[in-house]
Amino acid sequence: MSDQPAPADTTARQQLEPAAADGLRAYAARTRENADQLAAVLEDIAANGLPAMEDCTPWEELREAHLARLAAQRPAVA
């Protein structure tokens, strides 16, 4: 991906509200940060090999922890 803005096309574009544009920029920054973290992990694996099994967390535990976080964020429905 490039940090360069997309080339302007010849048709008029609808401008976003300032708050929406700020939210979109924040989302882009978070997405870029997540991609950078993933790239760093992959580069580490390429340079040093896979980590020992004892140092890893099973994916099932990661899934359950993530589902618990999602459930805690969502209010219960009666």
Side-chain angles (χ1 to χ4, degrees), residues 1-56:
M1 294 191 68
S2 172
D3 288 331
Q4 299 294 324
D9 57 23
T10 56
T11 60
R13 298 177 107 183
Q14 180 181 353
Q15 294 298 309
L16 297 175
E17 294 291 326
D22 290 343
L24 195 55
R25 285 186 197 96
Y27 176 76
R30 287 190 309 272
T31 302
R32 189 174 290 116
E33 182 180 340
N34 289 339
D36 288 345
Q37 289 175 355
L38 176 60
V41 168
L42 295 176
E43 289 170 351
D44 179 69
I45 290 171
N48 303 307
L50 292 169
M53 289 294 291
E54 304 82 43
D55 298 334
C56 297

